[in-house]
Amino acid sequence: MHTMSIQRKKIHPHKYSLWIAMGSITMMFIGFTSAYVVKRSQANWLAFELPHIFWLSTAVILLSSLTIHLALKKFKERNMQRYKQLITVTAVLGVAFAALQWVGFSQMRANGLPLDGPVSASFIYVIVGVHMLHVLGGVVALLVMFGRAYRTRVRTYSPVPIEVAATYWHFVDALWIYLLIFLSIAR
């Protein structure tokens, strides 16, 4: 009888933890959007158009997904100079995304939709604000990558940290697209 050794490919612990975290974040936003749908059916719901700058911020975060994808590619090619440039651009675009979201909040306030105003506006502040915090968390991770990239002595060329950061970055990008479409349709 021939015995075959089956070897499973193991997932790196950091990648596994990331997938658990992304599952938790997804569940949180499912809860937010479900509550939004339930509240929207109430008589006092005020429908309004999202700030147009949210669409501009979408272009920015999509561009940042491209730059982090290219950064990972350059890292794997050991083109560290180009990697450094791309990881820096990605972090800057992440900050720009959050700044544009903040401008969108300012536009909402200027249009008589403060955080403590209509429930529909409060939902936008909470949903978009919590997403923005997750993007800023990603920016912190990118800044750590940035710091490691600019160290004079590189100890390891493991792609795992940048793979984890890139996966998370693509996740918050996709999450934003879902949220923007949801909030645009479910007004």
Side-chain angles (χ1 to χ4, degrees):
M1 180 178 244
H2 176 62
T3 58
M4 182 187 269
S5 171
I6 299 175
Q7 192 173 26
R8 278 195 251 166
K9 185 173 177 153
K10 294 181 181 179
I11 186 169
H12 191 280
H14 296 305
K15 291 180 180 181
Y16 180 76
S17 297
L18 174 66
W19 284 101
I20 297 296
M22 289 186 314
S24 299
I25 293 166
T26 299
M27 294 303 293
M28 178 178 57
F29 280 99
I30 287 172
F32 285 158
T33 54
S34 297
Y36 183 96
V37 168
V38 169
K39 272 308 227 184
R40 186 186 70 195
S41 65
Q42 294 182 345
N44 64 346
W45 186 262
L46 174 66
F48 62 91
E49 202 170 311
L50 291 174
H52 294 296
I53 201 152
F54 283 178
W55 293 95
L56 176 60
S57 70
T58 303
V60 169
I61 202 166
L62 285 171
L63 181 59
S64 73
S65 260
L66 175 63
T67 59
I68 200 164
H69 171 76
L70 294 173
L72 175 59
K73 183 178 181 216
K74 294 304 173 189
F75 184 91
K76 287 180 176 181
E77 293 170 1
R78 302 243 171 121
N79 183 342
M80 297 310 284
Q81 188 57 38
R82 191 72 178 124
Y83 163 72
K84 291 174 189 180
Q85 294 167 345
L86 288 162
I87 204 73
T88 303
V89 169
T90 305
V92 168
L93 289 170
V95 171
F97 173 83
L100 290 168
Q101 300 284 284
W102 191 258
V103 170
F105 288 162
S106 298
Q107 290 174 347
M108 286 176 59
R109 283 189 300 276
N111 290 328
L113 298 165
L115 175 61
D116 61 350
V119 173
S120 55
S122 299
F123 264 103
I124 301 300
Y125 283 103
V126 170
I127 292 170
V128 173
V130 171
H131 178 266
M132 185 172 40
L133 289 174
H134 283 88
V135 169
L136 290 174
V139 168
V140 169
L142 292 174
L143 292 175
V144 169
M145 301 280 112
F146 175 85
R148 288 181 180 171
Y150 282 92
R151 280 194 299 213
T152 55
R153 200 167 57 100
V154 177
R155 292 183 203 140
T156 179
Y157 280 99
S158 170
V160 171
I162 185 65
E163 288 171 347
V164 168
T167 300
Y168 179 77
W169 200 257
H170 293 310
F171 168 74
V172 294
D173 184 351
L175 179 59
W176 172 248
I177 298 211
Y178 159 73
L179 292 172
L180 184 62
I181 292 169
F182 172 83
L183 295 171
S184 296
I185 292 171
R187 295 186 295 147

